[in-house]
Amino acid sequence: MEIYNYNFVGYAAYEDIAKKAFDQINKSMNKNFYFEIAANEAVLNAAKYSIFGLNDAEISMTVLISDTDVSVIIKSITQPFSAEHYREQLYQLLDNPATMDMKWGEYTGMTERSRGFWYMLTACEYIIVNNDGNEITICIRKSANNNEIPDTQIRRLLPRFLIKKNGVVQ
């Protein structure tokens, strides 16, 4: 297992960190454009919702590269957010026949809901958000086909949204 830790302040500092991190990731697997977008969204959210603001957000990024997959963990001290409540709202989409088979782009075009989580869900095998919303882990298999546009049906994406509560993934 390879582990790379990066700590930085402010979203602007992420450009250099992203280059270093994805140079390491791309050495171990084919470049995956969708996964890079997911990581960028996670970092942007960490900075945007930081209690210190976009330019002063204290962000840590850990890259874990195993034989089979790559995980990126993003942490920041953010404004309160209940990932559990958010997931409950998302799962209501599965109870509605009008939305459960929609593509995420069709749905987000009709709502003001955050598109960042949808990008992450589309690109990753799964995402894990701690219940306070200040830590997110995104994971992809190295064997993921990076040339194929991911299936974005709501019913296929939502099971990828996991919550870590009291140290346990649910």
Side-chain angles (χ1 to χ4, degrees), residues 143-166:
S143 61
N145 186 343
N146 61 349
N147 297 319
E148 193 175 289
I149 295 174
D151 185 355
T152 64
Q153 277 184 309
I154 289 172
R155 78 163 73 204
R156 297 188 192 280
L157 295 179
L158 293 185
R160 299 176 185 178
F161 190 104
L162 305 172
I163 307 269
K164 184 165 44 171
K165 191 172 181 180
N166 299 324

Side-chain angles (χ1 to χ4, degrees), residues 2-14:
E2 297 174 56
I3 302 172
Y4 302 94
N5 292 301
Y6 306 95
N7 295 297
F8 54 100
V9 176
Y11 184 68
Y14 175 61

Side-chain angles (χ1 to χ4, degrees), residues 29-35 123 140-151:
M29 64 184 261
N30 290 330
K31 183 177 177 81
N32 190 308
F33 177 72
Y34 298 108
F35 189 65
I140 189 168
R141 288 190 184 124
K142 286 183 173 181
S143 61
N145 186 343
N146 61 349
N147 297 319
E148 193 175 289
I149 295 174
D151 185 355

Side-chain angles (χ1 to χ4, degrees), residues 41-73:
E41 285 293 326
V43 171
L44 177 60
N45 284 347
K48 185 176 173 182
Y49 298 108
S50 167
I51 62 171
F52 304 116
L54 189 71
N55 298 322
D56 296 316
E58 297 173 0
I59 301 170
S60 72
M61 178 176 177
T62 302
V63 176
L64 307 168
I65 302 173
S66 75
D67 292 339
T68 57
D69 57 39
V70 174
S71 298
V72 176
I73 303 166

Side-chain angles (χ1 to χ4, degrees), residues 6 22 32 40 56 93 100 111 155 168:
Y6 306 95
F22 279 96
N32 190 308
N40 293 341
D56 296 316
L93 300 175
M100 66 189 258
T111 182
R155 78 163 73 204
V168 177

